[in-house]
Amino acid sequence: EKERAFIEWYPRGYGVGFKVKQRIFETQTEYQRIEIYETEGFGKLLILDGTVQLVEIGEESYHEALVHPVMLAHPNPRRVLVIGGGDGGTLREVLRHKTVEKATMVEIDEGVVEASYLYLDVASELLDRLIKKEEPRGELIIGDGVRYLKETDERFDVIIVDSTDPVGPAKLLFSEGFYRSAYEKLNERGLYITQAGSVYLFTNELLDAYRAMKKVFDRVYYFSFPVIGYASPWSFLVGVKGDIDFGKVDVERGRGLELYYYDPERHGTLFQMPKYVRDLL
Ligand code: AG3
């Protein structure tokens, strides 16, 4: 019997693949094509427009890196905004922080929330509560994050962008105009973080996003982390508003989280970057 695989192709023919047993869900929404596969060794695999979003076994390698460094660098994150992240993994990690009073997730594609709720073992109970409006500290808004950020009267301590790649439909989320509205909607002290693509294979997109963020935020940091299922190392960009040092985190608060991948006691190791990238940044 022939073996089946799902392979995500990156530029220049670089592939990241999983052996799969079968495809268990497939739909085309107004925004994108959603697919879910059962893999051999990593649980279920969520694909949007042919790109890997997560595998159930290992998704924390992304969600921990996206959420906890900024949450632990902020002295008291109470209000958090997540843009994208319809599978719920990012919001799940945000809500583990006891300081959080309210976290809002703005996801453009209801289809991603539904498919994740029905088929994925990532955050289905949380998604169920959000859909029923029964999560006391969380809110789900189905809508366009760009527009939401421009129009909202709310202010945030931390803004987290959990989007698809800086190519295609999510491109606007990596523009100077978007960074300006994020900066405006942060409290006097605040942190912004976005995933910014594969260090090796999207280096130009990473540089473009970094330069645009530099024009807007008081300080900009970059870091990389190995993510299971992506062409690693993966890059993340952090924009700082006001008096916060992203080089330091609250290790004590971090201990209580019992993390698996991101190690707050080794926060400094995040800032490792291949030299050619650092030279360009
Ligand atoms: N957000 C997507 C990260 C980008 C993945 N890119 C890729 N495979 N080319 C992940 C959603 C998880 N909450």
Side-chain angles (χ1 to χ4, degrees):
E1 206 192 314
K2 81 169 186 351
E3 275 176 350
R4 301 216 302 142
F6 176 89
I7 301 171
E8 175 181 350
W9 292 108
Y10 283 80
R12 296 154 58 201
Y14 189 103
V16 175
F18 290 91
K19 284 190 185 173
V20 296
K21 295 187 200 154
Q22 56 177 321
R23 181 161 62 196
I24 60 176
F25 179 74
E26 172 183 29
T27 193
Q28 173 72 44
T29 72
E30 189 185 331
Y31 300 100
Q32 57 208 336
R33 172 155 216 82
I34 305 175
E35 296 166 88
I36 296 176
Y37 292 86
E38 182 69 48
T39 71
E40 262 190 39
F42 290 84
K44 288 185 219 77
L45 165 65
L46 172 66
I47 305 292
L48 297 180
D49 278 347
T51 67
V52 173
Q53 302 300 301
L54 59 83
V55 277
E56 283 175 330
I57 302 174
E59 47 91 359
E60 297 91 340
S61 61
Y62 173 78
H63 291 125
E64 287 190 7
L66 181 65
V67 172
H68 301 303
V70 284
M71 293 297 284
L72 295 174
H74 193 291
N76 186 21
R78 291 188 296 194
R79 307 220 144 216
V80 179
L81 173 67
V82 176
I83 292 180
D87 55 82
T90 296
L91 195 66
R92 178 197 68 205
E93 293 302 315
V94 167
L95 290 172
R96 295 179 64 199
H97 292 259
K98 297 194 179 73
T99 56
V100 174
E101 291 163 5
K102 188 178 171 204
T104 304
M105 166 164 111
V106 182
E107 163 63 53
I108 199 165
D109 192 349
E110 197 168 16
V112 175
V113 178
E114 260 162 40
S116 305
Y117 165 66
L118 288 173
Y119 298 103
L120 297 180
D121 194 9
V122 171
S124 11
E125 287 170 22
L126 171 61
L127 293 176
D128 186 38
R129 291 197 299 278
L130 288 168
I131 292 164
K132 294 181 176 149
K133 302 195 183 301
E134 284 172 0
E135 169 55 53
R137 298 188 299 147
E139 182 188 14
L140 168 64
I141 296 172
I142 300 297
D144 176 356
V146 175
R147 192 162 159 199
Y148 174 84
L149 205 49
K150 216 181 275 167
E151 292 175 358
T152 185
D153 296 325
E154 306 226 14
R155 293 294 179 272
F156 305 96
D157 300 308
V158 174
I159 298 175
I160 300 174
V161 178
D162 182 10
S163 69
T164 49
D165 291 345
V167 283
K171 190 104 193 141
L172 263 189
L173 299 174
F174 295 87
S175 65
E176 192 184 324
F178 182 70
Y179 297 140
R180 287 207 187 280
S181 49
Y183 186 87
E184 210 176 284
K185 302 296 156 89
L186 282 170
N187 281 320
E188 188 184 328
R189 275 208 291 198
L191 291 169
Y192 177 93
I193 185 165
T194 177
Q195 70 91 1
S198 168
V199 170
Y200 290 134
L201 296 159
F202 295 137
T203 312
N204 286 329
E205 288 79 2
L206 166 60
L207 292 175
D208 287 349
Y210 178 76
R211 289 184 187 126
M213 281 178 71
K214 287 279 268 188
K215 292 190 191 155
V216 174
F217 291 93
D218 300 342
R219 283 171 308 287
V220 179
Y221 293 77
Y222 51 84
F223 71 84
S224 71
F225 203 77
V227 174
I228 296 172
Y230 301 175
S232 289
W234 206 253
S235 70
F236 297 83
L237 291 167
V238 175
V240 181
K241 177 172 175 179
D243 175 28
I244 296 178
D245 179 3
F246 182 68
K248 286 206 187 73
V249 286
D250 187 338
V251 171
E252 213 37 63
R253 254 196 291 145
R255 256 184 219 124
L257 296 169
E258 293 179 31
L259 302 175
Y260 194 76
Y261 294 96
Y262 164 59
D263 183 355
E265 289 179 59
R266 295 288 179 276
H267 184 70
T269 61
L270 285 184
F271 302 102
Q272 188 277 337
M273 261 296 167
K275 183 164 180 302
Y276 87 92
V277 180
R278 195 165 71 79
D279 287 346
L280 290 166
L281 282 161

